[in-house]
Amino acid sequence: MTDWTFDVDKMLWLIFSKEVIILFVFSYLMIIVWKYQYFKQRGIKTPKYRFVCGNYFDLIRNNSESENVYKWTMQLGKTFGYFEGHSPVLVTSDLDIIQEVFIRQFSNFSARKKNPMEGADSREFNHLMRSSNCRWKRMRSVMNPTFSKQKLEKMNPLLNECIDRLIFKIRNNIISELKIPEAFKKLTMDSLWKCTYGIDLNIQNKPCNEYFKASEKIFADAYKFKFIKLLSIFFPEFDFLWIFFTNFQNEIKKRIGLPREPKVFIINEFHKTLKEKISNDQEYRKDYMQLLIDSLDDDEKLIKKYDHLNISEIKDFHLEKKLTLNEIKANLKMFMLAGYESTSFALSFCFHMLAIKKNEQETLYNEIEDFFSNESIVPDIQNVNRLPYLDMFCKEILRFYPISRVARRCVKQTTVKGINMTPGLIVRIHHFAIHFDPVLWGPIDPKEFFPLRHKVARNPLCFLAFGLGPRICLGMKFALSQMKLALVKCLLKFEIESTNETPKFLEFSEGILRTAINEFQIRFNPRTDKS
């Protein structure tokens, strides 16, 4: 009879013996060496990289990621590769590859690029942006109705009220000068909470609002250098360790009474509101939060039955339009953080352009003033979308300042234009190269701000402000409507002027995780011909 007993000490010695550790380290280093052959095996050029860190430090040099990638594009061509750590990233401005990856073969690229320490796509607290395959499909099917035409129109009075708060604040400012983009961050967060969560925080009139401070800290922390994030980029295979250490650190902080992490604060506050709405029988407005609450179901086994499947495999299956409580909390946080900073930056770019280009402001004002000269026509979401030059102006701002990062992660092996792509490969669109391509955006020089270029029909793949394909930005219509309504209402009341604190060119730092714009000031002079 075989004796299955074993000595625990001997087992631990075997696991942690010097020879085993050396063998493990050597094997892991060989795996890294092999991964660095990824693009060479496919005949794809790469910039010179360093062992372990890859091209990471070249990418973030001078806080200008897009410019650094643009230099590589000029040297290596429209399609090339680089390494974040030893993880391969394929960069392309080839519209044929973009169409295959983002549209035709979307089911094979249904995931977004992961941020450091995000963990598996199946993590309980993952939201829409972190999900892939049928889990993403299930979440998106629940959220799609959020910004239908009818629901946007119902947001009119709420959005108008938030913009009126900004106008009131400007009118009561003795100097009539406003710090940008801080003012628009507060406006955007104010309107997000009011329109999509049904909660009026009045952030614009409460400078020390906890939600605003927590959100700012989340973005500030994301931009800070953290050694553990660097470890996650360089050694992603051990993300489970980096996540464990981070959670352990947060737990220690909690136990010794240090301030809570801002993400935890926001999730907890959402949880309180959720419990109140779920337990209360009264009928609420069908906003984003209520849509998620209506989809709540505790039967996780039924909800997640087909989450592991590729999108192309669900033809014969019924996909539940349901969410778990943790998914609802994650998606509430996601939409607020994803929406508020990007929209506020776009508004900052708009008003900066109006301040330094008087001819653009005059053209825009004349169209707005002429359209709303009839007192029966009021500024609302429906009417601002009927102004052609305003639409072209906003699109040109989003083309001129392409701060979005559009990338997909391969989830199923496939071939695109002769390139063998394997699961885990990141395919990134170089939006800067496309938005400033003279062939796609000529004949007027793309480096010149010229809204009328949008009068000409262009290839829809060359405008990437909100992404493209099935994973296009969920809040695109809301963001554009908010931009247009804020521009209309402010231009009817004020003339925008530059000050000594207004730079001719906006400076912003750009890293892998976020973009940050330097603060600047512009002046709002009340118009005498329009009260």
Side-chain angles (χ1 to χ4, degrees):
M1 185 173 178
T2 306
D3 185 5
W4 292 99
T5 61
F6 62 92
D7 190 320
V8 174
D9 290 336
K10 286 183 179 179
M11 196 69 178
L12 290 173
W13 176 86
L14 180 63
I15 294 172
F16 294 106
S17 67
K18 184 171 65 175
E19 289 79 8
V20 170
I21 291 172
I22 290 172
L23 179 62
F24 173 79
V25 172
F26 177 77
S27 301
Y28 183 64
L29 292 176
M30 287 302 100
I31 289 172
I32 294 177
V33 170
W34 175 74
K35 287 198 171 186
Y36 280 134
Q37 304 304 307
Y38 192 89
F39 292 118
K40 189 175 182 180
Q41 291 167 354
R42 289 157 176 78
I44 296 171
K45 295 178 181 178
T46 65
K48 188 176 180 180
Y49 54 83
R50 297 175 181 85
F51 191 68
V52 176
C53 59
N55 300 107
Y56 175 76
F57 292 111
D58 295 321
L59 186 67
I60 64 170
R61 183 180 294 160
N62 301 324
N63 288 327
S64 186
E65 184 189 343
S66 289
E67 284 188 16
N68 295 328
V69 176
Y70 187 68
K71 288 176 185 175
W72 289 338
T73 301
M74 295 296 100
Q75 295 167 7
L76 304 170
K78 283 190 173 183
T79 301
F80 62 93
Y82 72 84
F83 294 94
E84 287 184 16
H86 55 268
S87 301
V89 179
L90 183 79
V91 181
T92 187
S93 49
D94 184 322
L95 298 189
D96 292 334
I97 293 178
I98 290 169
Q99 187 170 43
E100 281 291 318
V101 169
F102 287 78
I103 300 172
R104 289 178 181 167
Q105 293 196 44
F106 169 74
S107 62
N108 296 326
F109 298 90
S110 63
R112 287 183 183 268
K113 178 181 181 292
K114 283 186 179 182
N115 286 329
M117 294 187 297
E118 274 194 4
D121 293 349
S122 57
R123 282 178 75 186
E124 181 57 35
F125 277 95
N126 275 3
H127 46 64
L128 182 72
M129 291 179 71
R130 289 183 179 176
S131 299
S132 62
N133 291 326
C134 285
R135 189 183 194 191
W136 169 83
K137 180 84 173 175
R138 171 170 59 82
M139 289 186 183
R140 184 79 184 214
S141 65
V142 171
M143 300 176 207
N144 267 338
T146 308
F147 299 109
S148 64
K149 184 180 177 182
Q150 293 75 18
K151 284 191 169 58
L152 277 174
E153 288 176 0
K154 287 181 181 178
M155 293 178 186
N156 264 319
L158 305 174
L159 199 50
N160 266 301
E161 186 179 344
C162 292
I163 296 169
D164 286 342
R165 286 173 181 170
L166 174 67
I167 290 172
F168 180 81
K169 192 174 180 179
I170 296 170
R171 276 182 163 172
N172 286 272
N173 188 335
I174 298 172
I175 308 174
S176 297
E177 293 179 3
L178 204 63
K179 280 188 176 181
I180 309 295
E182 181 186 339
F184 292 122
K185 283 183 180 179
K186 290 180 178 178
L187 166 66
T188 307
M189 185 173 283
D190 212 10
S191 57
L192 272 172
W193 280 91
K194 195 171 180 67
C195 296
T196 60
Y197 303 133
I199 303 169
D200 188 6
L201 295 178
N202 195 8
I203 289 169
Q204 296 181 85
N205 295 318
K206 297 177 181 177
C208 296
N209 184 277
E210 283 185 286
Y211 295 92
F212 182 73
K213 285 165 67 177
S215 299
E216 281 291 277
K217 192 171 189 312
I218 288 172
F219 282 103
D221 287 348
Y223 204 52
K224 282 179 183 175
F225 171 81
K226 288 189 177 180
F227 183 66
I228 200 161
K229 284 184 180 177
L230 211 56
L231 290 175
S232 179
I233 292 168
F234 293 165
F235 309 107
E237 292 83 1
F238 302 107
D239 258 5
F240 65 96
L241 279 177
W242 318 137
I243 292 168
F244 171 79
F245 288 143
T246 302
N247 291 338
F248 181 73
Q249 184 184 42
N250 291 338
E251 185 63 28
I252 294 295
K253 286 181 180 178
K254 180 182 175 182
R255 288 183 182 276
I256 63 176
L258 291 176
R260 289 177 294 176
E261 287 291 311
K263 283 184 183 179
V264 176
F265 166 76
I266 288 175
I267 288 175
N268 288 346
E269 292 303 309
F270 275 137
H271 195 190
K272 288 178 189 175
T273 308
L274 275 171
K275 284 176 70 176
E276 182 183 330
K277 281 195 171 187
I278 291 169
S279 60
N280 202 323
D281 291 333
Q282 74 181 80
E283 193 170 319
Y284 290 94
R285 182 173 60 85
K286 291 289 183 182
D287 52 29
Y288 175 66
M289 181 179 278
Q290 193 59 45
L291 272 174
L292 299 189
I293 291 171
D294 291 345
S295 70
L296 175 63
D297 194 319
D298 291 327
D299 191 350
E300 293 194 19
K301 287 185 179 179
L302 178 63
I303 292 173
K304 298 183 176 183
K305 190 174 180 180
Y306 303 117
D307 278 4
H308 64 285
L309 294 177
N310 186 277
I311 292 172
S312 61
E313 300 174 308
I314 63 170
K315 293 175 183 176
D316 300 323
F317 301 106
H318 172 67
L319 201 62
E320 291 289 330
K321 291 187 178 182
K322 298 291 181 182
L323 300 174
T324 67
L325 182 61
N326 284 333
E327 287 175 341
I328 290 174
K329 287 192 284 185
N331 279 295
L332 288 172
K333 182 199 75 172
M334 176 274 297
F335 192 78
M336 189 268 289
L337 294 176
Y340 113 94
E341 197 174 57
S342 55
T343 307
S344 68
F345 282 174
L347 276 168
S348 300
F349 293 140
C350 285
F351 279 83
H352 177 264
M353 192 63 71
L354 293 176
I356 64 170
K357 287 191 176 288
K358 284 292 187 179
N359 59 322
E360 289 296 337
Q361 184 176 169
E362 186 178 350
T363 303
L364 203 52
Y365 172 72
N366 287 339
E367 179 186 63
I368 292 168
E369 201 276 335
D370 184 59
F371 185 83
F372 291 103
S373 58
N374 185 337
E375 292 184 2
S376 64
I377 303 175
V378 296
D380 60 24
I381 290 173
Q382 187 177 11
N383 284 328
V384 297
N385 283 314
R386 293 165 60 190
L387 299 169
Y389 195 81
L390 175 63
D391 185 63
M392 290 187 285
F393 177 85
C394 290
K395 285 179 179 176
E396 183 68 349
I397 285 287
L398 295 170
R399 181 198 70 83
F400 205 72
Y401 292 106
I403 59 172
S404 61
R405 293 171 184 80
V406 186
R408 296 290 180 267
R409 175 162 39 98
C410 183
V411 296
K412 186 177 180 181
Q413 185 163 345
T414 186
T415 301
V416 175
K417 208 175 176 184
I419 303 171
N420 177 30
M421 299 189 181
T422 54
L425 172 69
I426 302 301
V427 181
R428 169 181 171 173
I429 294 179
H430 188 206
H431 52 275
F432 194 87
I434 293 175
H435 279 200
F436 289 90
D437 187 331
V439 175
L440 297 174
W441 290 101
I444 305 297
D445 186 355
K447 292 180 181 178
E448 180 183 337
F449 186 84
F450 185 69
L452 288 173
R453 75 173 78 247
H454 294 273
K455 256 189 170 182
V456 180
R458 312 272 175 177
N459 187 326
L461 298 175
C462 69
F463 184 69
L464 304 164
F466 298 100
L468 67 160
R471 287 197 78 140
I472 196 167
C473 176
L474 177 69
M476 175 180 67
K477 292 179 182 176
F478 178 74
L480 273 173
S481 297
Q482 185 178 15
M483 283 174 65
K484 291 177 180 179
L485 195 56
L487 282 164
V488 165
K489 297 201 76 169
C490 284
L491 281 174
L492 283 172
K493 304 290 183 183
F494 306 105
E495 184 178 355
I496 315 300
E497 284 191 357
S498 60
T499 70
N500 293 332
E501 301 295 322
T502 309
K504 289 184 179 179
F505 302 98
L506 277 184
E507 294 181 9
F508 52 95
S509 52
E510 192 182 25
I512 285 181
L513 294 178
R514 69 173 290 213
T515 298
I517 303 176
N518 291 351
E519 292 284 352
F520 63 93
Q521 285 187 348
I522 56 176
R523 181 177 291 113
F524 290 76
N525 292 327
R527 292 189 184 273
T528 55
D529 56 334
K530 192 80 175 177
S531 62

